[in-house]
Amino acid sequence: MAVDEVEDVRCLTAFWNAALNDHELTFQALRVLRGWVLNVARAPDSEAALATLLPTLAAAPANHQRITHLLRTVRDYDESVPAAAVRLRATVHPA
């Protein structure tokens, strides 16, 4: 990974950690992440980005709980569990 990419990952992680840990923003942040998970079917490249971001965010115990809950409960338009959610859940290891 290039130096710029490492810095981008660091900045994005800091941004998402701040959003997830702000009581006024947590719900909105999780809604955005849920939308990204649901969008993987239309934008497959986004799964790789989420597979990098989510485990990093889940390093904090509170975020681990939030993210694993999101990935367990997200449903597609037909109430099915998106395959991407199952794959992404496998990338998020217990804190």
Side-chain angles (χ1 to χ4, degrees):
M1 197 179 291
V3 173
D4 289 343
E5 290 176 5
V6 170
E7 183 62 16
D8 289 348
V9 169
R10 189 189 68 71
C11 290
L12 282 171
T13 301
F15 169 83
W16 280 101
N17 273 321
L20 289 171
N21 290 301
D22 183 316
H23 295 292
E24 294 181 18
L25 298 176
T26 302
F27 178 77
Q28 292 169 317
L30 289 170
R31 252 182 46 200
V32 170
L33 290 174
R34 179 177 284 110
W36 287 356
V37 171
L38 291 171
N39 195 50
V40 166
R42 290 182 294 282
D45 292 345
S46 63
E47 186 171 353
L50 286 169
T52 299
L53 177 64
L54 295 181
T56 304
L57 290 177
N63 286 346
H64 183 270
Q65 184 177 3
R66 290 177 182 115
I67 291 166
T68 56
H69 177 77
L70 180 151
L71 294 172
R72 276 193 324 269
T73 61
V74 66
R75 296 293 182 266
D76 219 334
Y77 66 92
D78 62 355
E79 295 300 316
S80 64
V81 177
V86 175
R87 292 188 300 270
L88 289 167
R89 195 169 54 219
T91 69
V92 179
H93 301 290

